[in-house]
């Protein structure tokens, strides 16, 4: 397949690219576009064969549902059978933004989009170019992260190009994703509201409007093969670089002492750590931000994980675990999966 590259950095100056992307989507084609969380691989959410091409391009398991992106709250009505009042409060506070809500789906959403479920995940992205493409396409856009299934999510145009060239109809070349981790997935049903995946909009932010807010067990725990996942995406290997990774929960001193010993035994051991660790670790260390700066950690983490794929002969990567408050919970949730739940506490 030939993949068209479309530059779009500015809504007015790059209006032609936005028009082309919108037209391709309307015609049932696949287009990768920037969002503030990560880049998304989009197709018309109503069009079964277009959505099928998303799963093919990513190599994504067919029971892993897609998030449907819209550009205006009123566009939610045809997609769902019920809208709880709280949705409008949340929309006013957090949309456009990194919050995805799960509601009972209407018949207009084909089962291929919802991964066979009777619910649908919906979000309005904050990125202006994304919203303008969706608006001009005139249809809701199903879009998972634009990476090959299993690898770290793409936060730059180059990440998308490296995974998806020849696999999609077009890729938008735009700015790096601001947030850097995916949206928060929030289940709104008859039970207490529940976070199925932590993301850009934090537990602490949502708690102000949802005093009964719960965090699903699958956010921090491994899901057994015979267990049903509330969010099917949680059960798959995810966000993993090529080398084996171990997540290390420790303070600065214990972490640095530990990895230095490991590096003495094996010079091909690498470290993903905080700025504060770097001065104590002489070799093979990449920082993903300051220890308390979860916003920067979220922004950098996927790019840093991908960067390790370009280094030859890595035997193992030790990753310094972030604390789990605010967006740190989202970063931690991604990293336990990058590490296939291989966690060491010092
Ligand atoms: P991605 O599109 O790669 O950001 O992944 C979307 C995430 O949202 C996955 O973890 C899905 O399992 C989850 N998700 C999407 N739709 C639903 C749904 N209807 N019910 C539960 N989880 C969902
Ligand atoms: Mg993904």
């Amino acid at each position: 397949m030939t993949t068209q590259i479309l530059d779009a950095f500015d809504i007015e100056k790059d209006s032609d690219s936005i028009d082309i992307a919108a037209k391709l989507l309307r015609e049932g084609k696949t287009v990768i576009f920037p969002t503030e969380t990560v880049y998304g691989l989009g197709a018309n959410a109503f069009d079964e064969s277009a959505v099928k091409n998303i799963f093919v391009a990513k190599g994504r398991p067919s029971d892993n549902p897609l998030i449907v992106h819209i550009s205006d709250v009123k566009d939610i009505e045809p997609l769902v059978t019920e809208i709880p009042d709280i949705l409008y409060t949340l929309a006013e506070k957090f949309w456009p933004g990194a919050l995805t809500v799960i509601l009972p789906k209407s018949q207009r959403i084909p089962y291929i989009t919802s991964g066979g479920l009777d619910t649908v995940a919906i979000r309005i992205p904050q990125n202006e170019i994304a919203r303008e493409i969706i608006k001009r396409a005139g249809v809701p856009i199903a879009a998972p992260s634009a990476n090959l299934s299993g690898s770290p999510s793409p936060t730059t145009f180059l990440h998308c190009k490296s995974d998806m060239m020849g696999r999609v109809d077009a890729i938008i070349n735009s700015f790096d994703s601001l947030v850097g981790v995916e949206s928060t997935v929030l289940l709104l049903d008859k039970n207490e509201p529940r976070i199925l995946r932590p993301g850009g909009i934090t537990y602490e932010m949502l708690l102000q409007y949802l005093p009964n807010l719960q965090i699903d067990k699958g956010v921090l725990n491994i899901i057994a093969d015979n267990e049903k996942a509330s969010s099917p995406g949680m059960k798959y290997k995810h966000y993993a670089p090529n080398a084996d990774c171990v997540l290390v929960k420790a303070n600065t001193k214990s972490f640095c002492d530990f990895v230095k010993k490991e590096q003495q035994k094996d010079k091909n051991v690498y470290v993903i750590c905080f700025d504060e660790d770097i001065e104590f670790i002489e070799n093979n260390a990449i920082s993903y931000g300051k220890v308390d700066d979860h916003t920067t950690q979220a922004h950098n983490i996927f790019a840093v994980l991908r960067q390790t794929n370009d280094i030859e002969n890595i035997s193992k990567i030790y990753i310094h675990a972030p604390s789990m408050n605010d967006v740190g919970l989202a970063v931690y949730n991604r990293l336990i999966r990058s590490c296939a739940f291989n966690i060491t506490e010092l």
Side-chain angles (χ1 to χ4, degrees):
M1 179 189 293
T2 314
T3 301
Q4 196 177 348
I5 304 288
L6 299 164
D7 291 344
F9 294 88
D10 182 281
I11 290 204
E12 268 140 46
K13 289 199 199 104
D14 298 312
S15 186
D16 289 353
S17 292
I18 294 171
D19 273 338
I20 295 168
K23 182 162 178 281
L24 285 170
L25 288 164
R26 233 180 3 256
E27 288 170 350
K29 302 288 201 307
T30 47
V31 177
I32 292 178
F33 58 93
T35 88
E36 75 282 11
T37 58
V38 302
Y39 273 69
L41 196 181
N44 177 354
F46 291 149
D47 181 335
E48 291 188 36
S49 79
V51 171
K52 182 161 174 273
N53 289 332
I54 294 179
F55 285 91
V56 173
K58 280 184 62 95
R60 182 172 172 111
S62 61
D63 68 346
N64 193 1
L66 308 179
I67 295 173
V68 175
H69 294 70
I70 55 177
S71 61
D72 193 294
V73 191
K74 69 173 172 14
D75 297 336
I76 203 169
E77 282 163 26
L79 312 182
V80 301
T81 55
E82 267 172 66
I83 305 182
D85 289 343
I86 187 69
L87 185 275
Y88 292 104
T89 310
L90 296 174
E92 198 193 315
K93 301 293 170 192
F94 301 113
W95 276 355
L99 176 69
T100 295
V101 294
I102 297 184
L103 293 169
K105 80 168 192 71
S106 75
Q107 284 184 350
R108 296 224 49 199
I109 298 288
Y111 277 107
I112 186 164
T113 301
S114 69
L117 299 173
D118 290 320
T119 50
V120 60
I122 300 171
R123 161 171 122 86
I124 304 182
Q126 194 171 50
N127 182 297
E128 272 196 331
I129 289 172
R131 279 210 312 281
E132 194 60 26
I133 291 171
I134 299 164
K135 192 169 142 196
R136 293 193 202 174
V139 287
I141 303 298
S145 50
N147 52 289
L148 288 171
S149 202
S151 55
S153 303
T155 54
T156 72
F157 163 67
L158 288 179
H159 296 160
C160 299
K161 212 172 142 197
S162 122
D163 276 22
M164 289 296 167
M165 210 52 197
R167 304 178 76 90
V168 293
D169 294 296
I171 305 178
I172 305 270
N173 175 22
S174 190
F175 296 112
D176 296 355
S177 298
L178 215 61
V179 179
V181 291
E182 301 85 344
S183 59
T184 303
V185 177
L186 175 70
L187 176 64
L188 293 175
D189 62 8
K190 299 276 173 283
N191 302 312
E192 289 163 327
R194 190 149 43 104
I195 291 179
L196 302 186
R197 175 180 74 183
I201 301 296
T202 64
Y203 170 81
E204 291 86 346
M205 290 156 86
L206 289 169
L207 201 58
Q208 295 179 51
Y209 306 97
L210 302 167
N212 300 327
L213 183 62
Q214 307 294 308
I215 297 180
D216 194 85
K217 181 170 153 253
V219 165
L220 293 175
N221 297 289
I222 195 160
I223 296 163
D225 285 346
N226 57 358
E227 238 178 309
K228 185 175 173 289
S230 319
S231 174
M234 292 197 295
K235 69 184 181 202
Y236 294 109
K237 176 172 176 275
H238 236 132
Y239 319 116
N242 298 338
D244 279 346
C245 303
V246 179
L247 191 65
V248 183
K249 296 170 83 167
N251 61 29
T252 306
K253 179 161 188 331
S254 329
F255 179 79
C256 295
D257 289 348
F258 170 76
V259 296
K260 275 198 307 207
K261 268 193 210 131
E262 294 301 310
Q263 288 184 327
Q264 274 159 13
K265 286 188 250 167
D266 178 350
K267 66 174 176 31
N268 293 320
V269 162
Y270 274 71
V271 179
I272 294 177
C273 61
F274 302 123
D275 290 357
E276 289 84 346
D277 302 321
I278 289 276
E279 59 174 307
F280 301 108
I281 306 169
E282 275 135 51
N283 303 307
N284 303 355
I286 311 171
S287 170
Y288 67 114
K290 288 199 168 68
V291 66
D292 290 326
D293 184 357
H294 293 136
T295 305
T296 302
Q297 292 163 21
H299 180 79
N300 291 335
I301 191 60
F302 286 136
V304 168
L305 288 169
R306 277 179 179 261
Q307 202 182 321
T308 64
N309 288 344
D310 299 330
I311 305 168
E312 274 175 35
N313 299 324
I314 295 193
S315 56
K316 195 172 243 182
I317 305 171
Y318 288 103
I319 306 179
H320 200 167
S323 58
M324 285 186 253
N325 54 315
D326 60 70
V327 85
L329 182 66
V331 178
Y332 186 91
N333 166 272
R334 306 309 187 271
L335 286 176
I336 50 181
R337 286 164 175 82
S338 309
C339 296
F341 288 89
N342 202 342
I343 305 168
T344 297
E345 191 154 2
L346 300 178

